[in-house]
């Protein structure tokens, strides 16, 4: 499974929001400017997904923009991935096994069950690992704990 290009953009957005001065929303203009190689409408769609998922807040008004909706210690990679990519489901059961082995129905059913179970278990392992990875820890590993929440991206 390969995540979409959106994830790179989402991690940049979430890091900006994590390091933003407290109680100062980052304007959409600032976010679009920072992600300059990305389509503004595409970034708006990503921001909307993050708002709908409850990871970020949209603040209206002249000094509006976006803020984290949760404490960064409560946000994990699974939340972020599922907000943008949807639930982790790596096996695309296209019903081909039934078609190819239609004259061996019993084996086809057993094969489908075995393969889907294997992928479902792998998806659970992947989801559990992503769940264990907290946004706060990851950002602090990159920039250091003492440097977090000190930037006003609107002025940077």
């Amino acid at each position: 499974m390969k995540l979409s290009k959106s994830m790179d953009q989402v991690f940049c957005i979430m890091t900006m929001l994590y390091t933003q001065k407290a109680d100062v929303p980052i304007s959409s203009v600032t976010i679009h400017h920072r992600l300059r190689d990305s389509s503004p409408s595409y970034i708006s769609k990503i921001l909307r997904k993050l708002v709908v998922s409850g990871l970020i807040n949209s603040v209206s008004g002249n000094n509006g923009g976006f803020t984290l909706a949760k404490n960064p210690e409560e946000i994990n990679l699974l939340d972020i991935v599922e907000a943008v990519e949807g639930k982790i489901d790596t096996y695309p059961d296209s019903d081909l096994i039934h078609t190819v082995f239609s004259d061996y129905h019993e084996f086809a059913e057993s094969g489908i069950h075995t393969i889907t179970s294997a992928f479902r278990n792998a998806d659970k392992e992947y989801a559990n690992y992503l769940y264990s990875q907290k946004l706060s820890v990851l950002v602090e590993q990159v920039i250091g704990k003492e440097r977090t929440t000190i930037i006003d991206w609107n002025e940077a």
Side-chain angles (χ1 to χ4, degrees):
M1 176 183 160
K2 184 174 181 177
L3 299 175
S4 70
K5 178 183 170 189
S6 302
M7 293 311 304
D8 204 22
Q9 297 157 331
V10 169
F11 293 132
C12 290
I13 292 166
M14 295 300 288
T15 300
M16 288 174 65
L17 293 171
Y18 178 70
T19 58
Q20 176 66 7
K21 278 186 168 181
D23 302 324
V24 178
I26 301 176
S27 73
S28 60
V29 171
T30 298
I31 293 171
H32 291 124
H33 175 72
R34 285 277 167 182
L35 299 170
R36 56 184 151 257
D37 291 336
S38 304
S39 156
S41 63
Y42 191 68
I43 296 302
S44 294
K45 288 178 186 176
I46 291 171
L47 290 166
R48 180 73 185 134
K49 287 180 179 184
L50 293 171
V51 168
V52 168
S53 71
L55 292 176
I56 68 173
N57 291 319
S58 176
V59 181
S60 58
N62 287 343
N63 295 320
F66 298 92
T67 61
L68 289 179
K70 296 180 175 182
N71 185 322
E73 288 79 23
E74 297 173 5
I75 300 173
N76 57 65
L77 289 185
L78 182 63
D79 294 333
I80 296 169
V81 168
E82 288 185 343
V84 177
E85 303 283 344
K87 295 285 183 193
I88 296 172
D89 187 11
T90 57
Y91 182 66
D93 184 3
S94 63
D95 208 35
L96 185 62
I97 292 174
H98 274 127
T99 303
V100 172
F101 302 105
S102 61
D103 45 344
Y104 297 97
H105 180 74
E106 175 176 326
F107 297 122
E109 288 299 316
S110 177
I112 289 168
H113 175 72
T114 300
I115 290 170
T116 55
S117 292
F119 277 97
R120 199 173 308 119
N121 289 336
D123 291 347
K124 285 179 187 175
E125 292 288 327
Y126 182 43
N128 286 337
Y129 180 78
L130 292 177
Y131 180 80
S132 74
Q133 302 302 303
K134 304 299 181 197
L135 175 66
S136 59
V137 173
L138 295 171
V139 172
E140 289 170 7
Q141 284 176 351
V142 173
I143 64 174
K145 187 172 180 81
E146 68 282 350
R147 297 194 63 199
T148 59
T149 62
I150 60 166
I151 300 168
D152 185 350
W153 291 102
N154 298 312
E155 297 176 5

